[in-house]
PDB file of all heavy atoms in Angstrom:
ATOM      1  N   GLU B   4       2.848 -22.131 -26.182  1.00 57.00           N
ATOM      2  CA  GLU B   4       4.250 -21.946 -26.555  1.00 57.00           C
ATOM      3  C   GLU B   4       4.348 -22.290 -28.032  1.00 57.00           C
ATOM      4  O   GLU B   4       4.054 -23.407 -28.432  1.00 57.00           O
ATOM      5  CB  GLU B   4       5.157 -22.882 -25.737  1.00 57.00           C
ATOM      6  CG  GLU B   4       5.111 -22.648 -24.246  1.00 57.00           C
ATOM      7  CD  GLU B   4       5.835 -21.389 -23.805  1.00 57.00           C
ATOM      8  OE1 GLU B   4       6.792 -20.982 -24.483  1.00 57.00           O
ATOM      9  OE2 GLU B   4       5.428 -20.820 -22.793  1.00 57.00           O
ATOM     10  N   ALA B   5       4.692 -21.331 -28.853  1.00 54.00           N
ATOM     11  CA  ALA B   5       4.781 -21.571 -30.288  1.00 54.00           C
ATOM     12  C   ALA B   5       5.988 -22.458 -30.578  1.00 54.00           C
ATOM     13  O   ALA B   5       7.070 -22.245 -30.056  1.00 54.00           O
ATOM     14  CB  ALA B   5       4.888 -20.263 -31.047  1.00 54.00           C
ATOM     15  N   ALA B   6       5.773 -23.484 -31.404  1.00 57.00           N
ATOM     16  CA  ALA B   6       6.842 -24.408 -31.750  1.00 57.00           C
ATOM     17  C   ALA B   6       7.885 -23.715 -32.628  1.00 57.00           C
ATOM     18  O   ALA B   6       9.075 -23.904 -32.463  1.00 57.00           O
ATOM     19  CB  ALA B   6       6.270 -25.630 -32.456  1.00 57.00           C
ATOM     20  N   ALA B   7       7.430 -22.925 -33.554  1.00 87.00           N
ATOM     21  CA  ALA B   7       8.345 -22.232 -34.463  1.00 87.00           C
ATOM     22  C   ALA B   7       7.830 -20.813 -34.665  1.00 87.00           C
ATOM     23  O   ALA B   7       6.678 -20.606 -35.030  1.00 87.00           O
ATOM     24  CB  ALA B   7       8.420 -22.978 -35.781  1.00 87.00           C
ATOM     25  N   TRP B   8       8.697 -19.862 -34.426  1.00 96.00           N
ATOM     26  CA  TRP B   8       8.324 -18.465 -34.596  1.00 96.00           C
ATOM     27  C   TRP B   8       8.660 -18.038 -36.019  1.00 96.00           C
ATOM     28  O   TRP B   8       9.675 -18.446 -36.568  1.00 96.00           O
ATOM     29  CB  TRP B   8       9.072 -17.596 -33.592  1.00 96.00           C
ATOM     30  CG  TRP B   8       8.780 -17.952 -32.157  1.00 96.00           C
ATOM     31  CD1 TRP B   8       9.560 -18.669 -31.320  1.00 96.00           C
ATOM     32  CD2 TRP B   8       7.602 -17.609 -31.420  1.00 96.00           C
ATOM     33  NE1 TRP B   8       8.945 -18.787 -30.088  1.00 96.00           N
ATOM     34  CE2 TRP B   8       7.740 -18.145 -30.128  1.00 96.00           C
ATOM     35  CE3 TRP B   8       6.453 -16.889 -31.721  1.00 96.00           C
ATOM     36  CZ2 TRP B   8       6.789 -17.985 -29.138  1.00 96.00           C
ATOM     37  CZ3 TRP B   8       5.487 -16.728 -30.737  1.00 96.00           C
ATOM     38  CH2 TRP B   8       5.660 -17.279 -29.459  1.00 96.00           C
ATOM     39  N   SER B   9       7.837 -17.196 -36.584  1.00 97.00           N
ATOM     40  CA  SER B   9       8.086 -16.692 -37.936  1.00 97.00           C
ATOM     41  C   SER B   9       9.158 -15.609 -37.903  1.00 97.00           C
ATOM     42  O   SER B   9       9.463 -15.039 -36.845  1.00 97.00           O
ATOM     43  CB  SER B   9       6.800 -16.129 -38.538  1.00 97.00           C
ATOM     44  OG  SER B   9       6.472 -14.892 -37.925  1.00 97.00           O
ATOM     45  N   GLU B  10       9.699 -15.307 -39.078  1.00 97.00           N
ATOM     46  CA  GLU B  10      10.680 -14.211 -39.192  1.00 97.00           C
ATOM     47  C   GLU B  10      10.044 -12.904 -38.730  1.00 97.00           C
ATOM     48  O   GLU B  10      10.677 -12.087 -38.070  1.00 97.00           O
ATOM     49  CB  GLU B  10      11.150 -14.079 -40.644  1.00 97.00           C
ATOM     50  CG  GLU B  10      11.892 -15.282 -41.145  1.00 97.00           C
ATOM     51  CD  GLU B  10      13.378 -15.024 -41.249  1.00 97.00           C
ATOM     52  OE1 GLU B  10      13.793 -13.859 -41.265  1.00 97.00           O
ATOM     53  OE2 GLU B  10      14.108 -16.023 -41.287  1.00 97.00           O
ATOM     54  N   ALA B  11       8.773 -12.696 -39.085  1.00 98.00           N
ATOM     55  CA  ALA B  11       8.072 -11.474 -38.685  1.00 98.00           C
ATOM     56  C   ALA B  11       7.929 -11.414 -37.168  1.00 98.00           C
ATOM     57  O   ALA B  11       8.143 -10.347 -36.572  1.00 98.00           O
ATOM     58  CB  ALA B  11       6.699 -11.396 -39.352  1.00 98.00           C
ATOM     59  N   ASP B  12       7.585 -12.534 -36.534  1.00 98.00           N
ATOM     60  CA  ASP B  12       7.485 -12.553 -35.069  1.00 98.00           C
ATOM     61  C   ASP B  12       8.805 -12.136 -34.439  1.00 98.00           C
ATOM     62  O   ASP B  12       8.839 -11.313 -33.514  1.00 98.00           O
ATOM     63  CB  ASP B  12       7.112 -13.956 -34.566  1.00 98.00           C
ATOM     64  CG  ASP B  12       5.680 -14.342 -34.858  1.00 98.00           C
ATOM     65  OD1 ASP B  12       4.818 -13.451 -34.989  1.00 98.00           O
ATOM     66  OD2 ASP B  12       5.421 -15.567 -34.939  1.00 98.00           O
ATOM     67  N   LEU B  13       9.898 -12.689 -34.928  1.00 98.00           N
ATOM     68  CA  LEU B  13      11.220 -12.369 -34.380  1.00 98.00           C
ATOM     69  C   LEU B  13      11.557 -10.899 -34.599  1.00 98.00           C
ATOM     70  O   LEU B  13      12.084 -10.234 -33.693  1.00 98.00           O
ATOM     71  CB  LEU B  13      12.283 -13.265 -35.024  1.00 98.00           C
ATOM     72  CG  LEU B  13      12.164 -14.756 -34.678  1.00 98.00           C
ATOM     73  CD1 LEU B  13      13.064 -15.579 -35.587  1.00 98.00           C
ATOM     74  CD2 LEU B  13      12.497 -15.000 -33.222  1.00 98.00           C
ATOM     75  N   ARG B  14      11.248 -10.370 -35.763  1.00 98.00           N
ATOM     76  CA  ARG B  14      11.547  -8.966 -36.069  1.00 98.00           C
ATOM     77  C   ARG B  14      10.754  -8.023 -35.165  1.00 98.00           C
ATOM     78  O   ARG B  14      11.299  -7.074 -34.611  1.00 98.00           O
ATOM     79  CB  ARG B  14      11.238  -8.679 -37.542  1.00 98.00           C
ATOM     80  CG  ARG B  14      11.564  -7.254 -37.964  1.00 98.00           C
ATOM     81  CD  ARG B  14      11.351  -7.013 -39.456  1.00 98.00           C
ATOM     82  NE  ARG B  14       9.939  -7.056 -39.806  1.00 98.00           N
ATOM     83  CZ  ARG B  14       9.356  -7.990 -40.548  1.00 98.00           C
ATOM     84  NH1 ARG B  14      10.054  -8.982 -41.044  1.00 98.00           N
ATOM     85  NH2 ARG B  14       8.072  -7.934 -40.805  1.00 98.00           N
ATOM     86  N   TRP B  15       9.445  -8.307 -34.986  1.00 98.00           N
ATOM     87  CA  TRP B  15       8.619  -7.406 -34.175  1.00 98.00           C
ATOM     88  C   TRP B  15       8.985  -7.488 -32.698  1.00 98.00           C
ATOM     89  O   TRP B  15       8.983  -6.475 -31.999  1.00 98.00           O
ATOM     90  CB  TRP B  15       7.137  -7.671 -34.402  1.00 98.00           C
ATOM     91  CG  TRP B  15       6.702  -7.297 -35.785  1.00 98.00           C
ATOM     92  CD1 TRP B  15       6.168  -8.128 -36.734  1.00 98.00           C
ATOM     93  CD2 TRP B  15       6.766  -5.994 -36.400  1.00 98.00           C
ATOM     94  NE1 TRP B  15       5.911  -7.415 -37.891  1.00 98.00           N
ATOM     95  CE2 TRP B  15       6.260  -6.113 -37.718  1.00 98.00           C
ATOM     96  CE3 TRP B  15       7.202  -4.753 -35.959  1.00 98.00           C
ATOM     97  CZ2 TRP B  15       6.180  -5.036 -38.586  1.00 98.00           C
ATOM     98  CZ3 TRP B  15       7.140  -3.663 -36.826  1.00 98.00           C
ATOM     99  CH2 TRP B  15       6.627  -3.810 -38.124  1.00 98.00           C
ATOM    100  N   MET B  16       9.328  -8.691 -32.211  1.00 98.00           N
ATOM    101  CA  MET B  16       9.741  -8.783 -30.810  1.00 98.00           C
ATOM    102  C   MET B  16      11.089  -8.101 -30.607  1.00 98.00           C
ATOM    103  O   MET B  16      11.319  -7.482 -29.555  1.00 98.00           O
ATOM    104  CB  MET B  16       9.805 -10.234 -30.330  1.00 98.00           C
ATOM    105  CG  MET B  16      10.089 -10.360 -28.833  1.00 98.00           C
ATOM    106  SD  MET B  16       8.879  -9.537 -27.751  1.00 98.00           S
ATOM    107  CE  MET B  16       7.615 -10.790 -27.696  1.00 98.00           C
ATOM    108  N   ALA B  17      11.964  -8.161 -31.603  1.00 98.00           N
ATOM    109  CA  ALA B  17      13.238  -7.449 -31.499  1.00 98.00           C
ATOM    110  C   ALA B  17      12.987  -5.943 -31.377  1.00 98.00           C
ATOM    111  O   ALA B  17      13.673  -5.250 -30.621  1.00 98.00           O
ATOM    112  CB  ALA B  17      14.135  -7.759 -32.702  1.00 98.00           C
ATOM    113  N   ARG B  18      11.988  -5.435 -32.102  1.00 98.00           N
ATOM    114  CA  ARG B  18      11.646  -4.013 -31.988  1.00 98.00           C
ATOM    115  C   ARG B  18      11.116  -3.705 -30.590  1.00 98.00           C
ATOM    116  O   ARG B  18      11.469  -2.689 -29.989  1.00 98.00           O
ATOM    117  CB  ARG B  18      10.618  -3.615 -33.055  1.00 98.00           C
ATOM    118  CG  ARG B  18      10.162  -2.179 -32.965  1.00 98.00           C
ATOM    119  CD  ARG B  18      11.312  -1.194 -33.152  1.00 98.00           C
ATOM    120  NE  ARG B  18      10.877   0.169 -32.868  1.00 98.00           N
ATOM    121  CZ  ARG B  18      11.645   1.102 -32.327  1.00 98.00           C
ATOM    122  NH1 ARG B  18      12.914   0.857 -32.053  1.00 98.00           N
ATOM    123  NH2 ARG B  18      11.170   2.299 -32.079  1.00 98.00           N
ATOM    124  N   ALA B  19      10.259  -4.583 -30.056  1.00 98.00           N
ATOM    125  CA  ALA B  19       9.739  -4.392 -28.698  1.00 98.00           C
ATOM    126  C   ALA B  19      10.881  -4.396 -27.687  1.00 98.00           C
ATOM    127  O   ALA B  19      10.894  -3.588 -26.748  1.00 98.00           O
ATOM    128  CB  ALA B  19       8.706  -5.465 -28.359  1.00 98.00           C
ATOM    129  N   LEU B  20      11.863  -5.261 -27.881  1.00 98.00           N
ATOM    130  CA  LEU B  20      13.003  -5.326 -26.970  1.00 98.00           C
ATOM    131  C   LEU B  20      13.844  -4.044 -27.070  1.00 98.00           C
ATOM    132  O   LEU B  20      14.323  -3.528 -26.053  1.00 98.00           O
ATOM    133  CB  LEU B  20      13.849  -6.566 -27.276  1.00 98.00           C
ATOM    134  CG  LEU B  20      14.921  -6.953 -26.274  1.00 98.00           C
ATOM    135  CD1 LEU B  20      14.379  -7.091 -24.858  1.00 98.00           C
ATOM    136  CD2 LEU B  20      15.583  -8.249 -26.703  1.00 98.00           C
ATOM    137  N   ALA B  21      13.983  -3.495 -28.268  1.00 98.00           N
ATOM    138  CA  ALA B  21      14.698  -2.221 -28.429  1.00 98.00           C
ATOM    139  C   ALA B  21      13.961  -1.101 -27.678  1.00 98.00           C
ATOM    140  O   ALA B  21      14.587  -0.245 -27.043  1.00 98.00           O
ATOM    141  CB  ALA B  21      14.842  -1.873 -29.907  1.00 98.00           C
ATOM    142  N   LEU B  22      12.635  -1.121 -27.737  1.00 98.00           N
ATOM    143  CA  LEU B  22      11.840  -0.134 -27.003  1.00 98.00           C
ATOM    144  C   LEU B  22      12.000  -0.318 -25.494  1.00 98.00           C
ATOM    145  O   LEU B  22      12.047   0.669 -24.742  1.00 98.00           O
ATOM    146  CB  LEU B  22      10.367  -0.226 -27.398  1.00 98.00           C
ATOM    147  CG  LEU B  22      10.051   0.259 -28.813  1.00 98.00           C
ATOM    148  CD1 LEU B  22       8.681  -0.244 -29.252  1.00 98.00           C
ATOM    149  CD2 LEU B  22      10.117   1.779 -28.888  1.00 98.00           C
ATOM    150  N   ALA B  23      12.086  -1.569 -25.046  1.00 98.00           N
ATOM    151  CA  ALA B  23      12.305  -1.829 -23.619  1.00 98.00           C
ATOM    152  C   ALA B  23      13.624  -1.212 -23.169  1.00 98.00           C
ATOM    153  O   ALA B  23      13.714  -0.652 -22.074  1.00 98.00           O
ATOM    154  CB  ALA B  23      12.294  -3.328 -23.350  1.00 98.00           C
ATOM    155  N   ARG B  24      14.627  -1.266 -24.026  1.00 98.00           N
ATOM    156  CA  ARG B  24      15.919  -0.661 -23.685  1.00 98.00           C
ATOM    157  C   ARG B  24      15.799   0.861 -23.603  1.00 98.00           C
ATOM    158  O   ARG B  24      16.472   1.501 -22.802  1.00 98.00           O
ATOM    159  CB  ARG B  24      16.979  -1.092 -24.691  1.00 98.00           C
ATOM    160  CG  ARG B  24      17.351  -2.563 -24.543  1.00 98.00           C
ATOM    161  CD  ARG B  24      18.499  -2.972 -25.462  1.00 98.00           C
ATOM    162  NE  ARG B  24      18.764  -4.383 -25.319  1.00 98.00           N
ATOM    163  CZ  ARG B  24      18.431  -5.313 -26.218  1.00 98.00           C
ATOM    164  NH1 ARG B  24      17.837  -4.962 -27.347  1.00 98.00           N
ATOM    165  NH2 ARG B  24      18.697  -6.580 -25.993  1.00 98.00           N
TER     166      ARG B  24
END
Side-chain angles (χ1 to χ4, degrees):
E4 299 286 331
W8 300 102
S9 73
E10 296 254 342
D12 288 334
L13 294 168
R14 182 176 69 248
W15 292 119
M16 186 58 82
R18 177 61 188 146
L20 191 53
L22 290 163
R24 290 185 183 106

